[in-house]
Each structure stands twice: as C-alpha cells, then as structure tokens.
Amino acid sequence: MGFIKTPIKGMNDFLPSDMRLREHVINMIKETYATYGFSLIETPVMEHLGNLTGKQGGENEKLIFPVMKRGADLQRAIENGGELADSALRYDLTVPLSRYYANNQAVLTTPFKSLQIGNVFRADRPQKGRFRQFTQCDIDILGDSSILAEIELIAATTSMLTKIFEEVGISRFTVHVNDRRILKGMAKSAGFDEESFDTVFIILDKMDKIGIDGVKEELVKSGFAADAVEKYTQMFTKITEGISCGDFCSLIGADAIDSSVVDSLDGILSCVKPMISSDVSLVFDPTLVRGMSYYTGTIFEITIDGYNFSIAGGGRYDEMIGKFCGQKVCACGFSIGFERIITILKDKLGDKAFARDKKCIAILVDSKVSTDKLADVFAEATKLREQGNIVTVQPLNKNAKFQIQKLEEDGYSEFRKVYND
C-alpha cells in the first residue's frame, strides 16, 4: 500500500500565502486584545477525558477524539476490560482554561483577562468553514461578576472584527445578545421541568435552520407535552424587529423573568453601543441559545449578512471553574470563529494572495557566478534585509520567466539577476 499524500479529511495543509493571511489575522487579534489588557496563555491540546465529558460541552461531547492509554496502563485496561482511553484532544478552549485557572489561580491576577489561541479537534462532518482540526481564539475574563466583563468582551471583539473586515470592504455585522436566565424563565413558564432545559435549548438552537415549526415538531418527538410545546413556541411569535429586552419579557409574563436580568442586559447594551462602530448592529435576540450547557447568564453571538454561520460567540459561565477548584469563580468569555473569518476573507480576496507588508526582493544568481561574486551577492542581501526588506537569494532557473511569475504570485515585486561580469 502506497503512502497517501492528501491530509486526513477535515484537516488542511496551508500554503505560504494561506499562512501569511492567517498570521496577519492572528497578529491583529493579539494586538487588539492586548490594548484591552488581555494576557496571552497556552494550554495543552490534550485534556483529561473526564474533564471533557462532564456534561459541560453540549453536542461537542459527541465529537471527541479520545486518546488511548499507553504502555502498561493500556495492557491492564485490555486484560481487565477497563476503559481504553484516559485523555482526548480538546474540543474547545473553555474547559482547558477552567482547569488552567484552577491550577494556577494563586499566581494570577484577579480579575484575570486571558487570550488563548490554539488548535481544537472535533470529529465533525467537514463542510465550508467547518473542520475537524481548526484554530480557535478565546478571550475570557475570570473573577468578575459585574457587567464590566460583558461590556469589555463585546467592545473588544467588535473592535477587532471591524479592523479585520474593513480591509476587505465589510463594515456591517450584527451582535446578538440574550441571557440564559430569560430562556430558562420562558421554559419554566411553559411547563418544562428544569432537568429538561438543556434538551429543550439544544432543539431551540436549531431554529435558524428548521424554523419554529421544526422546533415544535422536534420537541414533541422528544416526548415533551404538546401543551407545553405549544405555549413555549408561541412565546417566540411575539418577537418583533427591534424589540427591547424589557418589552419582550413583559409579554412573556411579569413573574417569568427577574427584573435584575432585564436591568443587567439593558445596561450592557446601553454601555456597548457608543463604544462600537455605527455600522455594527447591536440587538437583543430572544432566540439566541448557544449550544453549551455551561452558560449561566448573558450570551452573545456575531453574524455577517450573507453567511449562514456565526463568526464569534460566547457568554457567562459562572459555575464551571468552581467544579475544578471547589469555589465559585465568575467567568465570561468570547470564542472567535477564526477559520470562519479566514473563509470570509478568502471569499473576498478571491485568487488574489494576501499582500506582504514589506518590500520583497528576489536576487536570482546565475550558476556560473564566481565565489567572490557570491560573497558580494550575500553582502547586498544582508544590507537590504537590514533596511527592512524581505530578500530571497535563489539560483536563476533556465525558465526564468516562469520562475519570476511564481515569485510574483508569492508577493515579490523586484528582481535582480546576477551574472559574472
């Protein structure tokens, strides 16, 4: 059997032009969040299996790549019929961050503002903008129970996205904001048991794909009482364009939603609005769910017209970290869809490669050039690099025209051919 030259399905090789674009976006992310006081951290790509299967990751827990035990541990598990895997590739960055904070809390500032960029892995069905290995960028504020955390996260993320997308002429996108406590109040008011909320919300999260009738059908198929399903889905028919959090909650019922939840959400929206571009829409969206069951309060998501996926999302998860460290640690975070952002940028760029930010010079050396001449060539290349240029020194090919064409495609704009005098 011969070797296979293509990557595993759902995973990618990246060409130099791809990497230039990816590195450019990563640098913009780092630079933007640094101005808001976020610190860059790193966690391992492998995590304890028990941490990843603690009913915190919603549907993602079904997409885990487990890693088998090694050596004697594996042999004992085989002989005794035990579990063969004890770890797995991480499916997101939030669970590892929770473990990281619990392990390093004593040496971290409070509140702690973290930025994490790294690969995550999901045994998903690959499609456009959706892969089995992909880069995720997370920003989180740990130890802040106030709405300052939500305001900073939304403002910083919209600022970053505005800077990235303005380079390809995109200025309009929408920030959707909701609160899990509103969703829970609605579900409780409709007659659902609290133990079933996660299942209800997972189905509700499909509304943008299957519509309200599809949600109703799936809820009934899942065994929920028809009268509860009808009452619940009727609540969403009361949504009108631009409806405020307070107005919507008053339509649901005075006892369903605590007034402090409305005040909190209104405070976030009113503070963020003057901080972001006027082209960015900031809306209260009662249909926003977010699939992870660990969310406890405010949730948010960002979309761009013309694309059927979100480009960023997150929310408050005040109970997860306490499961690792034994004490309550308030937490709020935003996860940026890095691969989806890259997909949109490449759609807009088309076949045009992302431009280098420095002048690129190619020195093409004839094969008959003497050693003394070569020394002069490298001295010139060194000087040009010291002046801030990108310089490559290559042998001059017989088909120089094709060689120069490929270099131009790679961003080189100046060419110097060197022969013996």
Side-chain angles (χ1 to χ4, degrees), residues 257-285:
I257 315 295
D258 191 288
S259 61
S260 65
V261 176
V262 178
D263 293 341
S264 173
L265 209 55
D266 283 344
I268 293 167
L269 295 172
S270 63
C271 287
V272 169
K273 196 165 186 64
M275 300 172 68
I276 62 178
S277 167
S278 58
D279 286 337
V280 177
S281 298
L282 183 65
V283 300
F284 165 65
D285 183 356

Side-chain angles (χ1 to χ4, degrees), residues 278-324:
S278 58
D279 286 337
V280 177
S281 298
L282 183 65
V283 300
F284 165 65
D285 183 356
T287 68
L288 178 62
V289 177
R290 300 294 299 160
M292 305 299 192
S293 61
Y294 52 63
Y295 289 121
T296 58
T298 317
I299 48 178
F300 23 76
E301 199 164 272
I302 300 178
T303 59
I304 290 182
D305 290 346
Y307 292 89
N308 63 351
F309 49 71
S310 63
I311 55 172
R316 182 167 283 280
Y317 55 103
D318 286 344
E319 298 174 2
M320 180 188 288
I321 297 176
K323 296 178 180 180
F324 287 87

Side-chain angles (χ1 to χ4, degrees), residues 43-44 47 52 90 92-101 116:
T43 58
E47 187 57 71
L52 296 174
R90 61 189 180 191
D92 76 353
L93 298 177
T94 305
V95 174
L97 172 66
S98 300
R99 181 200 52 73
Y100 172 95
Y101 185 80
Q116 192 177 181

Side-chain angles (χ1 to χ4, degrees), residues 362-366 369-385 391-395 416-420:
I363 302 177
L364 308 177
V365 184
D366 183 72
V369 165
S370 67
T371 303
D372 289 343
K373 187 72 172 179
L374 276 179
D376 292 339
V377 167
F378 284 107
E380 179 189 9
T382 299
K383 185 177 180 180
L384 289 168
R385 289 172 183 138
V391 181
T392 183
V393 179
Q394 300 182 6
R416 302 181 184 182
K417 298 178 183 177
V418 180
Y419 302 91
N420 272 327

Side-chain angles (χ1 to χ4, degrees), residues 400-414:
K401 183 178 180 180
F402 179 74
Q403 182 182 14
I404 290 173
Q405 177 188 329
K406 299 306 290 183
L407 285 166
E408 285 177 336
E409 291 174 1
D410 201 28
Y412 285 83
S413 58
E414 185 176 323

